[in-house]
Amino acid sequence: MMKNFLLLLLLIIHALAQANGNEIDNIHLDHAHDRLVDGKKLEVDLKRFERFIEGLAYSQIAIVSVKGMVCDFCARGIEKTFKRDSDVTKVDVDLSNGKVLIAFKRNKTIDFDDIKEKILANGQNATDLKVLII
Amino acid sequence: MGIRLAPILIFLIAIDLEARPISYSGASTLMAFSDTMKNSVYYHYSPSYKYSLGVELVRDKVQKKEYAFFRFTSLLNRKNTKRSQRNLYFQSGISFNESRNRFYGIHGDWETRRWYTGFNYKKIDTGAVIYTDQFYQFGVAPYVGEYGDLHSWVMIKTRKNFLESDWSTYPVLKFFKGNALIELGYSKQSHWDAHLMYRF
């Protein structure tokens, strides 16, 4: 019993270390759908977000904070760039909150540096990333 | 202002209606302009978000001439914040016709989702005369649309041309949805004109 508990603890610590190493929080939404389980506010348009996750299952949702995304016309490139990635199943832009929502396949390792690079190629700056598992 | 100068001014109004001189990396933009004085088609490609290269084909209806401008635009500075973006561009163009028309200058803008302000300063050499052109532009979005909506801007532009002694002020309306954009400008010289843009 104790051996199993220690093994489980080891796995949890390893998973946390992995997550921190990638600067990504693998977290779930609580039932209110407006906060992460650690209490941080999600800062997305909730109606838009709920529409976005409709029909998605076994996915990772990357919520990327972007600076300089002030118009629809200039955000188009972000959507096009991420849609070229075969691991991306859906992309949306929340202009009001300066967020890009990207649905990745569950087994994809999300690399924030890669996301930053793609956003920068569009002329904007990615500043933060949260990853939600659904 | 003589009849020979009219197409130059009309041409400048047309190219300044261009909303985004550089696109995102690997993107192309096609623009078309038409009014009673000229037809123009401008294509540019952006290898990077920092610069674009393009060709503009011009059919001058007054002088009955056709020529091409090779254009280069570079992003000199950009400041992104959560709610705004500020840009400073260098722009240039040269034509290989017999008069070697060319221009260069700077263009700056600052915008939020609600407000827009911009300026342009350009030096133009038509082969026969060298002059400067400058304008200031202010705009407001009557409503703030979400991604995928139809977006609208009401703008006013005030321009001073070296060839004219006073400033001229005229309205510009801009609408865009998805990858398509249309701008409508009105001036005493050209009356209503339309500028279409598609990014792909």
Side-chain angles (χ1 to χ4, degrees):
Chain A
M1 184 69 175
M2 181 60 79
K3 194 177 165 186
N4 286 343
F5 176 74
L6 286 173
L7 194 63
L8 183 67
L9 193 67
L10 213 63
L11 280 170
I12 291 169
I13 290 168
H14 176 69
L16 286 172
Q18 284 269 26
N20 286 336
N22 291 331
E23 295 179 353
I24 291 171
D25 298 322
N26 289 309
I27 34 192
H28 295 261
L29 286 171
D30 71 1
H31 295 298
H33 270 209
D34 64 346
R35 286 177 189 282
L36 305 173
V37 287
D38 64 0
K40 286 182 187 167
K41 195 155 172 55
L42 199 53
E43 289 182 351
V44 291
D45 180 329
L46 288 176
K47 282 184 183 169
R48 193 165 195 107
F49 182 75
E50 281 173 3
R51 272 203 307 273
F52 181 76
I53 61 173
E54 235 173 49
L56 287 175
Y58 202 66
S59 299
Q60 302 175 88
I61 311 295
I63 301 175
V64 188
S65 302
V66 179
K67 279 186 177 176
M69 202 167 56
V70 291
C71 83
D72 186 308
F73 205 61
C74 17
R76 289 281 143 189
I78 293 177
E79 183 181 350
K80 283 185 185 172
T81 304
F82 283 102
K83 276 189 170 171
R84 283 192 211 115
D85 186 339
S86 59
D87 289 313
V88 171
T89 54
K90 207 171 182 181
V91 183
D92 195 17
V93 173
D94 177 359
L95 287 174
S96 298
N97 295 287
K99 307 285 184 197
V100 176
L101 310 174
I102 310 159
F104 287 95
K105 290 175 182 170
R106 179 69 78 87
N107 56 0
K108 164 80 175 175
T109 304
I110 296 174
D111 179 358
F112 190 30
D113 287 335
D114 181 55
I115 290 175
K116 278 183 182 172
E117 204 174 297
K118 284 174 175 161
I119 302 274
L120 185 61
N122 197 61
Q124 285 99 23
N125 303 109
T127 56
D128 189 37
L129 170 68
K130 295 281 180 209
V131 179
L132 309 178
I133 309 294
I134 58 168
Chain B
M1 183 178 67
I3 186 83
R4 294 181 64 186
L5 299 179
I8 297 169
L9 292 176
I10 301 307
F11 173 67
L12 290 171
I13 288 168
I15 57 177
D16 290 337
L17 282 172
E18 179 186 332
R20 292 274 159 186
I22 304 177
S23 187
Y24 54 89
S25 304
S28 300
T29 305
L30 186 64
M31 286 175 259
F33 176 83
S34 181
D35 69 359
T36 54
M37 311 297 283
K38 72 159 205 141
N39 294 331
S40 157
V41 177
Y42 174 33
Y43 167 85
H44 74 68
Y45 173 73
S46 300
S48 144
Y49 73 95
K50 291 183 177 175
Y51 69 98
S52 70
L53 301 161
V55 178
E56 181 169 26
L57 304 173
V58 179
R59 175 177 285 173
D60 187 325
K61 293 179 184 175
V62 174
Q63 296 190 326
K64 299 194 186 328
K65 274 185 180 178
E66 291 180 7
Y67 50 92
F69 261 112
F70 293 89
R71 295 179 59 170
F72 171 75
T73 306
S74 171
L75 176 65
L76 300 175
N77 181 266
R78 170 169 286 171
K79 172 77 176 171
N80 288 322
T81 73
K82 191 177 178 184
R83 307 272 176 219
S84 69
Q85 186 179 75
R86 186 196 70 206
N87 298 297
L88 188 64
Y89 298 99
F90 167 77
Q91 52 188 331
S92 60
I94 185 162
S95 167
F96 293 101
N97 64 349
E98 68 276 7
S99 56
R100 293 281 196 271
N101 294 21
R102 53 191 176 268
F103 67 86
Y104 63 88
I106 54 169
H107 172 90
D109 58 53
W110 174 88
E111 68 178 300
T112 67
R113 294 181 67 212
R114 173 73 73 181
W115 302 101
Y116 174 90
T117 180
F119 75 93
N120 200 74
Y121 182 86
K122 195 181 289 176
K123 194 158 192 174
I124 298 121
D125 182 351
T126 67
V129 61
I130 300 171
Y131 63 99
T132 55
D133 174 76
Q134 57 182 308
F135 74 74
Y136 300 92
Q137 188 169 357
F138 304 93
V140 61
Y143 61 92
V144 176
E146 290 303 326
Y147 191 67
D149 290 347
L150 172 70
H151 298 264
S152 308
W153 285 86
V154 180
M155 296 178 156
I156 192 153
K157 184 180 280 190
T158 185
R159 174 190 299 275
K160 186 177 185 184
N161 192 291
F162 178 74
L163 297 171
E164 290 185 322
S165 54
D166 55 350
W167 290 80
S168 62
T169 302
Y170 55 95
V172 174
L173 297 173
K174 181 162 81 172
F175 305 96
F176 58 94
K177 182 174 171 60
N179 294 307
L181 181 149
I182 180 168
E183 284 190 358
L184 302 165
Y186 179 84
S187 69
K188 283 181 182 174
Q189 291 87 6
S190 66
H191 302 289
W192 284 103
D193 52 50
H195 183 110
L196 308 171
M197 182 189 296
Y198 190 81
R199 185 169 281 172
F200 51 95

